[in-house]
Amino acid sequence: MPYLGGEEALRDLRRALSNPHVQAEPLRYRAAVLRVIRLMTQGADVSGLFAEMVKAGAAADVVQKKLVQLYVCAHAPRMPRLALLAVNTLRRDCADPSPAVRGLALRGLCDLRMPGMQEYVQQPLLSGLRDRASYVRRIAVLGCAKVHRLQGDAEVDGALVNELYSLLRDQDPIVVVNCLRALEEILKKEGGVVINKPIAHHLLNRMADLDQWGQSEVLAFLLRYRPRSEEELFNILSLLDGYLKSSSPSVVMAATKLFLVLAREYPHVQADVLVRVKGPLLAACTSESRELCFTALCHVRQILSSLPGHFSSHYKKFFCSYSEPHYIKCQKMEVLCELVNDENVQQVLEELKGYCTDISVELAQGAISAIGSIARTYTEQCVGILTELLGLQQEHITSAVVQAFRDLVWLCPQCTDAVCQALPGCEDIIQDSEGKQALIWLLGAHGEKVPNAPYVLEDFVENVKTEVFPAVKMELLTALVRLFLSRPAECQDMLGRLLYHCIEEEKDMSVRDRGLFYYRLLQSGVDEVKRVLCSPKSDPSLGLLEDQTEQPVNTWASEFNTLAPIYGKARWALVTAHQPGEPCYAFSPCTDSGNRGTGSLISEGSKEVLKVHPDTGSLTLIPDVVLTAEQFEKTWLSLDISCQQSLPWVGTVHPDTIQTALHVVHIQTIAMSKAGVQPWKAYFTAQDDSGCLFLTELLLEAEDSGMQVAVKQSEAKPEALQAFMSVFRTAVGAVAGLRS
Amino acid sequence: MISQLFILSSKGDRLVYRNFRGDGGDDVTDAFYRAVTSLPGDQAPVFMAREGQHFVHVRHGGLYVGATTTADTSPFVLVEFLNRLVTLLREHCGTLSEKSVSVNVALVQELLGEMVDFGYVQTTATEVLRSATHGEPETTKAFSLLDLRSVGLFGAETQQSRVAPGSVTNRPVLPPRGEQGGRREVFVDVVERLTVVIAANGTPLKVDVQGEIRLKSFVPGACELRMGLTEELSVGTEEQCGYGRLPLAAVAFHSSVDLEEFEQERVLRVTPGPGEVTLMRYQLAEDVAVPLPFRLLPSVEWEPAGRLRIHLKLRCDLPPKNHAINVVLQLPLPREASSLAQELSSPEQTAELQGGGRSLRWAIPRCQGGAQLGAVFRVQLPPTPPLGLGPAALTFELPALTVSGLRLRWLRLSAPPGAPPGPPQRWVRHLTHSDSYVVRL
């Protein structure tokens, strides 16, 4: 950007800064310094003025000093030798009679991020810790943390830590909070600042002196304190009671979290707190600040995941306002889906229906899929509304409705007839790939119930040459082969034409291969085709997998009031894994119906399991753990059983299916009985990223008796065990669900 | 914990940037702006994760006020802090805009330096920051002849000098140093937001009234302020919710408010320093019948060949001495309309098509209580059935009125010892504005 920091401008500034006439006039001098700062903020390179700026820092004007410090701190790491010039001025200012100047200089000194600073900082820092003015002490305390960070992995100075611990008793509340912050950073490797009983009670007593930022932070530090007795616990909770009513949402939320975590063994206390925090949360949800509103909505969803009925009576608060931005409307619709119950379903649906005709395409489609997800419980009403929407004959609405239908039919087979009656006429309106795929899938899978299904598909076959989306072509192939099985006379001719086109003229390799696959499959006889293609047309059990409702409060209490609920579970797992590029394993049951044959059950099962995996949050299992059978046996015998459960299971076991399903979630098989043997046994192992081993035994004594699971853990970590059990249960559950 | 803090203009130019912890490259603002602008939809999510960093931002006056942070920080603290920062900037610079921030860069940097150290919030109290900063605010407002309207003609008290103009609070709260006088004024605003959904048959489905009592003081030093609220007020589950009462579902007071006399006499006592503070937030109980300011009586006729005839009757049910201003009605249309013909009842009203013909906008600058306005629109649409019309959304402001009926009965100020003679000027303003006023058709 030559116009910002051109040579010319720099030369001008240098001339101005070193001009004795300018230096003699404080206001002109300050204006020149300010111009440098402006250039720097805009991103220009002003490092050439370092010497002049350091000199400007020696002036008496405090504003100018601050500006120069800003400049010096930004440039010091790159030019340490010149920065030493500034150190002298700053050290002299550290002994200034004015506390403001002392504090400022000390802050500047500690902010110089360059190696070798310790020897200059040490002495002013120590005298700063004992300064009379609290302003200087606040800065000195944080300065300790800054210097420690600069030294990297240097050893912790025990004397300094003791000094900081004793400063926790300082009379200035901000010094106290800063001490906690500094100790936390300095002792990071040892697990952070220790909150023992005296410190905890001291902090509780000082709470009232703090401002809202201090309060929320101290409440967060108190999370790590474990009260010794029930009496102490309830004493603490009653001391903190007032903070649940604070006017600042951040304090209320921090207090809520502390309550939830401290009372982890008292579910009724937790429930009580969540009731009391309802009011402040709802107020934040309707706050004027969109950003606060969004944050609160995310936390409402978190609470709803454990207590589905919690906000049901306040459902009107979550109706979208006309002027709200998209991201809030979307959150609100999600909340509405989750709190729907018998009493409010009518009003909620009425409201969502209003959004379906919104001018914004995304919002309209979001509302339609929201109705689609409510339809899993209130099928009849929702299908009625969705059918009504088809009458609007709007491209984006029809497409979204048909997609909602497709997902619904898979989960709630009882609505198939109603859906099939609504379908005719949609084909002329839908233009996008997703919508077309959904329509074609529905016609293929349930074509026997739609009288004109072959003719609709015939139109698609006619136009296949001009079709731009390969996915639509694939879907068309599968659907037509399926329809051919139920209505051969009407489909034979066009199936031939479609296969000819796909094999001879199609340029997309995957479509061509799919065409060849079906061609060969058809050659092997109708029975074989039926065996491969005619899988169940719906699977209500997937619905249970998708929303594992009512997880206990304790699973998310430690994540409450962090960024985790903001991102949502699936994205949070990706964000924390530092793999922003990794695709999300969102599984829509019908996008890939082509391989929905019995032979591909396992791969479908694994997709399900993969989707479940990011949900486990804190638990990360390492793939490819090497553990020999002997090692396993030795460890198994040396440990006690940490968890024992019985999983529902009917019929015999297919060892391969289980092995594959568990392998996908990084649980390795050690040994397992052959299929059909009774009692059937299997042993598995897994290891999480902290090195904790999970050894598992599966035992099926007789058919219909249920699967017995026993887990042994090498380190006692209840949370990890819980997460592991949920992964294991889901994986085995998925296999069981697919089998039935 | 805040790693970096920045203020960007709407075009992505860096106005203020501060790296508190020295980690992360200095190009975060570019990364942020790219992330914000490349997101789908008209507005970006508040929190974004990019390459191991977490961005949080709030938008005010077209500016992005943002920060980078670590994952375990409380999102409520971050959002509240950024909002507080915006309020403080307003207090110190007068208004918040690209211009005012860039003119006052030195002051803003000074403020940030005192507010946050090493990424930790130190203080956000106006008085503390005032004593720790030394820069002077520079106001950006140019001299304007219009400002002279508040000057009395030959010293006579005109009507206008009695009414505080809306922009009068848009100045720095603190008088320039050395000038002890300044204009010593206290503003107390009772502002209510109205969220309403009215069903097609005219029955209100949802009426939500949220209110705030805001205090903005331009008086240097502390002075005690007492204010009496409407006596019919009752809070929460108190038993006295009889006829004529004003039941509030939830009330939150600022920590500085002294509630000693509130239970008995509904008096709030507070000793504010200069600056802005929200004294009380309240919410009206849901089952209270609030008189709704507007009724909409639509009739729609579908004429063949794609013509839609919409006859709207808007009745303003306010008391005759009150009025509504800036009334705008937005009506989404089922299809892209190609042309619009209108018959409006007065020349200052306007109507136009917006969003590529997908919605109709009818603007009424002023509407007196009790008035009934009619308008006929003829819209040319593609020839398909007229489904999906509405719902209509109204926006408006009701000056000098609170729909809940909560008012300030009186406001008393006792000046601190040693203050210049004469009481500071007191302004009490009541206002209701529509957050969302939706009428289904």
Side-chain angles (χ1 to χ4, degrees):
Chain A
M1 286 184 276
Y3 64 95
L4 284 179
E7 281 300 306
E8 195 62 27
L10 276 192
R11 215 173 303 135
D12 273 357
L13 277 171
R14 178 171 298 127
R15 213 175 297 137
L17 285 171
S18 44
N19 182 345
H21 295 296
V22 173
Q23 288 176 2
E25 283 178 57
L27 280 180
R28 272 178 76 192
Y29 203 10
R30 191 201 287 181
V33 171
L34 192 57
R35 267 162 66 204
V36 179
I37 299 293
R38 279 216 184 104
L39 280 179
M40 186 178 96
T41 313
Q42 285 161 3
D45 180 19
V46 285
S47 52
L49 299 170
F50 202 91
E52 285 81 7
M53 287 295 278
V54 170
K55 201 168 164 216
D61 182 7
V62 180
V63 180
Q64 186 167 325
K65 272 187 200 292
K66 287 186 180 175
L67 292 174
V68 169
Q69 253 180 39
L70 190 68
Y71 174 93
V72 171
C73 295
H75 288 89
R78 266 171 285 161
M79 34 187 63
R81 284 181 56 204
L82 276 171
L84 284 181
L85 291 174
V87 171
N88 275 329
T89 323
L90 289 173
R91 278 182 59 124
R92 198 178 56 230
D93 281 349
C94 279
D96 196 275
S98 150
V101 176
R102 283 205 303 274
L104 185 64
L106 188 58
R107 189 161 63 205
L109 211 50
C110 298
D111 272 338
L112 290 176
R113 300 183 193 107
M114 49 185 207
M117 275 303 295
Q118 296 87 293
E119 52 174 312
Y120 303 106
V121 183
Q122 201 82 42
Q123 202 275 320
L125 203 53
L126 282 178
S127 51
L129 284 177
R130 293 171 196 144
D131 201 289
R132 269 172 297 112
S134 58
Y135 181 73
V136 183
R137 288 202 302 276
R138 292 174 193 172
I139 289 166
V141 168
L142 280 184
C144 298
K146 291 180 195 171
V147 172
H148 178 80
R149 189 176 143 97
L150 203 64
Q151 289 168 328
D153 46 0
E155 260 188 47
V156 175
D157 179 356
L160 184 72
V161 170
N162 281 340
E163 177 112 30
L164 286 176
Y165 268 118
S166 66
L167 272 175
L168 281 175
R169 308 259 166 208
D170 197 281
Q171 57 203 10
D172 184 71
I174 298 179
V175 173
V176 175
V177 183
N178 278 355
C179 272
L180 285 172
R181 293 158 168 166
L183 283 168
E184 177 73 9
E185 297 223 359
I186 293 172
L187 301 172
K188 196 177 242 162
K189 283 207 187 111
E190 294 149 40
V193 55
V194 179
I195 307 285
N196 57 20
K197 190 170 174 178
I199 294 182
H201 285 267
H202 169 68
L203 290 176
L204 283 169
N205 291 333
R206 294 300 302 272
M207 279 289 282
D209 305 339
L210 302 171
D211 62 356
Q212 48 169 324
W213 319 110
Q215 284 176 353
S216 8
E217 228 162 312
V218 168
L219 287 169
F221 277 112
L222 285 172
L223 282 172
R224 60 181 71 162
Y225 178 62
R226 298 275 150 95
R228 307 266 171 77
S229 65
E230 195 172 316
E231 195 191 339
E232 189 190 355
L233 169 74
F234 284 101
N235 277 342
I236 292 179
L237 293 188
S238 60
L239 269 178
L240 291 174
D241 205 65
Y243 298 100
L244 285 174
K245 291 183 221 135
S246 165
S247 67
S248 150
S250 57
V251 176
V252 176
M253 289 305 138
T256 310
K257 181 175 183 177
L258 186 58
F259 266 83
L260 292 179
V261 170
L262 284 184
R264 61 174 86 68
E265 275 142 36
Y266 305 92
H268 64 280
V269 177
Q270 288 182 328
D272 183 49
V273 168
L274 289 175
V275 169
R276 293 192 37 203
V277 83
K278 227 191 233 182
L281 252 184
L282 282 172
C285 282
T286 44
S287 144
E288 227 170 336
S289 159
R290 307 288 190 212
E291 291 81 8
L292 188 63
C293 182
F294 172 77
T295 314
L297 282 170
C298 292
H299 282 81
V300 166
R301 286 185 61 193
Q302 180 82 78
I303 293 176
L304 280 176
S305 72
S306 290
L307 306 164
H310 200 59
F311 291 94
S312 289
S313 52
H314 301 277
Y315 65 96
K316 282 184 183 168
K317 297 266 178 207
F318 301 100
F319 284 1
C320 299
S321 294
Y322 166 73
S323 53
E324 276 166 346
H326 252 229
Y327 58 88
I328 293 203
K329 287 184 178 169
C330 294
Q331 286 292 334
K332 283 192 169 172
M333 286 198 291
E334 302 262 353
V335 171
L336 282 176
C337 283
E338 281 167 49
L339 52 68
V340 88
N341 65 12
D342 291 349
E343 276 124 53
N344 60 24
V345 64
Q346 202 56 45
Q347 287 85 344
V348 169
L349 283 177
E350 193 72 23
E351 180 72 16
L352 284 173
K353 196 173 130 191
Y355 308 152
C356 292
T357 48
D358 196 273
I359 300 176
S360 152
V361 172
E362 291 102 30
L363 186 69
Q365 293 192 330
I368 291 169
S369 64
I371 296 181
S373 68
I374 294 177
R376 287 168 200 177
T377 338
Y378 300 95
T379 312
E380 213 168 292
Q381 286 150 293
C382 296
V383 171
I385 292 176
L386 291 173
T387 312
E388 210 174 292
L389 287 171
L390 287 178
L392 296 177
Q393 307 200 343
Q394 294 261 45
E395 188 189 321
H396 65 275
I397 294 181
T398 307
S399 165
V401 169
V402 171
Q403 289 173 54
F405 276 158
R406 174 194 59 191
D407 299 348
L408 193 59
V409 163
W410 181 249
L411 296 169
C412 307
Q414 69 273 21
C415 65
T416 311
D417 288 332
V419 167
C420 288
Q421 277 168 18
L423 282 183
C426 296
E427 69 275 5
D428 299 330
I429 299 161
I430 298 178
Q431 298 297 328
D432 62 320
S433 159
E434 281 292 317
K436 277 186 187 172
Q437 287 178 51
L439 178 65
I440 294 173
W441 184 85
L442 278 168
L443 290 174
H446 300 283
E448 71 281 357
K449 290 181 185 154
V450 186
N452 70 340
Y455 309 103
V456 176
L457 289 183
E458 188 163 19
D459 281 344
F460 280 106
V461 174
E462 294 292 320
N463 300 326
V464 74
K465 285 200 179 92
T466 51
E467 178 60 58
V468 282
F469 308 109
V472 173
K473 294 181 197 171
M474 304 254 253
E475 199 64 67
L476 187 58
L477 265 170
T478 313
L480 203 52
V481 174
R482 271 197 191 159
L483 194 60
F484 169 68
L485 292 178
S486 56
R487 300 165 79 164
E490 294 156 289
C491 297
Q492 188 174 12
D493 179 52
M494 58 175 148
L495 179 59
R497 273 183 287 150
L498 181 65
L499 283 175
Y500 178 83
H501 169 83
C502 291
I503 295 169
E504 296 290 332
E505 296 168 19
E506 179 58 47
K507 295 210 178 62
D508 189 289
M509 272 307 137
S510 51
V511 177
R512 191 165 164 270
D513 286 350
R514 182 70 62 87
L516 279 169
F517 167 73
Y518 283 123
Y519 181 67
R520 293 189 193 120
L521 186 63
L522 286 165
Q523 276 179 329
S524 61
V526 172
D527 292 337
E528 192 63 16
V529 180
K530 277 191 178 149
R531 197 181 69 78
V532 173
L533 279 186
C534 291
S535 55
K537 286 181 178 175
S538 67
D539 193 347
S541 70
L542 278 181
L544 297 177
L545 262 183
E546 257 173 45
D547 41 24
Q548 307 162 317
T549 39
E550 305 190 33
Q551 38 170 327
V553 174
N554 284 333
T555 52
W556 50 261
S558 57
E559 282 180 354
F560 195 75
N561 198 17
T562 67
L563 298 192
I566 306 279
Y567 290 116
K569 269 194 233 157
R571 263 195 70 209
W572 178 245
L574 291 179
V575 168
T576 44
H578 293 290
Q579 293 163 327
E582 196 183 319
C584 181
Y585 292 103
F587 184 128
S588 131
C590 311
T591 44
D592 201 3
S593 60
N595 50 16
R596 183 165 290 116
T598 41
S600 62
L601 274 180
I602 297 164
S603 78
E604 275 184 16
S606 18
K607 273 187 199 161
E608 270 306 310
V609 172
L610 266 178
K611 190 199 151 229
V612 171
H613 183 210
D615 287 4
T616 53
S618 59
L619 182 78
T620 321
L621 295 178
I622 304 169
D624 307 322
V625 180
V626 189
L627 196 72
T628 62
E630 289 80 44
Q631 284 169 327
F632 179 88
E633 196 176 335
K634 225 171 123 191
T635 329
W636 177 262
L637 293 173
S638 69
L639 293 171
D640 293 327
I641 290 179
S642 6
C643 175
Q644 203 155 17
Q645 275 194 6
S646 174
L647 300 180
W649 190 271
V650 181
T652 54
V653 186
H654 292 284
D656 297 349
T657 324
I658 292 200
Q659 185 169 358
T660 321
L662 289 174
H663 184 78
V664 170
V665 289
H666 303 148
I667 301 176
Q668 319 293 337
T669 313
I670 297 290
M672 119 192 312
S673 328
K674 284 198 192 102
V677 179
Q678 278 184 359
W680 182 88
K681 270 188 179 182
Y683 292 94
F684 306 93
T685 176
Q687 192 172 16
D688 74 358
D689 48 0
S690 68
C692 175
L693 275 174
F694 298 92
L695 308 181
T696 316
E697 180 193 51
L698 270 187
L699 175 64
L700 185 70
E701 287 198 337
E703 286 187 28
D704 313 327
S705 67
M707 188 77 86
Q708 303 298 322
V709 188
V711 181
K712 297 186 177 184
Q713 205 182 7
S714 65
E715 294 160 41
K717 288 200 279 188
E719 274 170 31
L721 182 66
Q722 220 166 35
F724 175 77
M725 276 314 292
S726 99
V727 171
F728 196 86
R729 249 194 329 267
T730 337
V732 173
V735 177
L738 286 166
R739 281 172 33 81
S740 54
Chain B
M1 184 162 45
I2 297 163
S3 302
Q4 285 128 331
L5 206 143
F6 49 83
I7 301 176
L8 304 188
S9 76
S10 54
K11 293 193 280 306
D13 299 327
R14 207 148 77 171
L15 301 176
V16 175
Y17 170 75
R18 191 120 181 176
N19 191 342
F20 289 110
R21 296 180 61 86
D23 45 22
D26 282 354
D27 55 349
V28 279
T29 52
D30 298 336
F32 168 79
Y33 191 69
R34 266 201 309 274
V36 158
T37 45
S38 67
L39 277 169
D42 55 341
Q43 291 234 21
V46 188
F47 294 86
M48 292 182 294
R50 283 284 179 288
E51 289 143 22
Q53 269 174 323
H54 299 274
F55 291 115
V56 49
H57 82 279
V58 300
R59 290 202 67 174
H60 278 276
L63 301 179
Y64 297 95
V65 181
T68 60
T69 176
T70 48
D72 55 349
T73 316
S74 155
F76 285 96
V77 168
L78 291 168
V79 170
E80 234 185 300
F81 171 73
L82 292 178
N83 281 334
R84 177 71 192 146
L85 173 64
V86 168
T87 315
L88 280 170
L89 291 180
R90 270 211 196 105
E91 281 177 11
H92 282 82
C93 307
T95 54
L96 189 66
S97 67
E98 195 178 332
K99 183 112 185 278
S100 67
V101 171
S102 61
V103 165
N104 288 303
V105 158
L107 182 65
V108 175
Q109 286 284 9
E110 232 189 317
L111 279 173
L112 283 178
E114 298 301 332
M115 282 166 76
V116 185
D117 192 9
F118 205 38
Y120 298 108
V121 182
Q122 300 292 303
T123 180
T124 56
T126 311
E127 335 53 293
V128 178
L129 289 171
R130 172 64 172 173
S131 61
T133 54
H134 304 269
E136 297 296 339
E138 289 174 43
T139 41
T140 50
K141 218 164 87 191
F143 172 79
S144 158
L145 267 181
L146 290 172
D147 283 347
L148 291 178
R149 66 186 169 177
S150 56
V151 179
L153 276 175
F154 303 110
E157 281 251 303
T158 59
Q159 180 65 37
Q160 255 157 353
S161 69
R162 290 171 172 279
V163 183
S167 63
V168 76
T169 46
N170 292 342
R171 58 185 169 104
V173 276
L174 304 158
R177 261 165 233 281
E179 251 178 79
Q180 259 309 305
R183 260 187 295 168
R184 302 191 309 130
E185 289 174 311
V186 173
F187 291 83
V188 180
D189 296 354
V190 184
V191 183
E192 293 194 340
R193 286 187 298 144
L194 191 60
T195 312
V196 173
V197 180
I198 300 175
N201 60 8
T203 51
L205 287 177
K206 166 187 174 181
V207 180
D208 202 9
V209 181
Q210 309 228 6
E212 277 183 3
I213 300 182
R214 288 187 211 140
L215 169 77
K216 192 161 185 176
S217 164
F218 292 93
V219 180
C223 56
E224 197 194 60
L225 205 78
R226 292 175 74 230
M227 58 187 90
L229 304 183
T230 313
E231 275 173 333
E232 287 77 25
L233 210 67
S234 61
V235 178
T237 51
E238 283 176 33
E239 280 304 305
Q240 40 194 347
C241 297
Y243 179 77
R245 309 290 308 178
L246 180 65
L248 301 183
V251 189
F253 294 99
H254 189 265
S255 52
S256 67
V257 180
D258 182 354
L259 295 173
E260 208 174 285
E261 295 167 80
F262 182 72
E263 283 303 313
Q264 291 304 316
E265 327 220 333
R266 302 297 176 210
V267 170
L268 301 182
R269 200 164 61 192
V270 64
T271 313
E276 191 180 321
V277 64
T278 301
L279 296 179
M280 170 176 163
R281 276 199 187 92
Y282 61 91
Q283 186 157 15
L284 207 61
E286 276 176 46
D287 47 352
V288 187
V290 172
L292 292 175
F294 284 103
R295 296 235 165 241
L296 184 68
L297 309 163
S299 71
V300 179
E301 273 172 51
W302 176 247
E303 295 171 11
R307 269 246 298 270
L308 194 61
R309 188 174 170 280
I310 308 168
H311 185 189
L312 297 178
K313 223 187 278 175
L314 188 68
R315 203 174 75 206
C316 182
D317 288 341
L318 294 171
K321 63 180 196 312
N322 287 100
H323 65 276
I325 53 169
N326 301 333
V327 184
V328 174
L329 185 141
Q330 290 268 9
L331 182 67
L333 299 171
R335 290 276 198 283
E336 281 90 9
S338 49
S339 71
L340 168 74
Q342 66 217 29
E343 288 169 31
L344 304 172
S345 55
S346 78
E348 74 252 25
Q349 298 174 23
T350 55
E352 57 186 349
L353 289 174
Q354 278 192 333
R358 285 302 306 271
S359 82
L360 175 73
R361 183 176 188 274
W362 178 23
I364 306 152
R366 187 189 159 101
C367 180
Q368 196 67 37
Q372 183 157 320
L373 304 173
V376 182
F377 302 99
R378 282 193 194 80
V379 196
Q380 188 68 42
L381 296 173
T384 33
L387 288 156
L389 181 71
L394 277 163
T395 53
F396 52 82
E397 278 172 48
L398 311 176
L401 182 82
T402 51
V403 278
S404 70
L406 187 138
R407 299 188 74 84
L408 234 56
R409 282 179 296 144
W410 45 264
L411 174 70
R412 270 176 222 142
L413 254 174
S414 57
Q425 189 95 38
R426 292 162 298 168
W427 299 104
V428 178
R429 300 182 294 188
H430 294 91
L431 177 75
T432 300
H433 63 94
S434 61
D435 190 39
S436 168
Y437 195 92
V438 173
V439 186
R440 293 200 188 136
L441 305 182

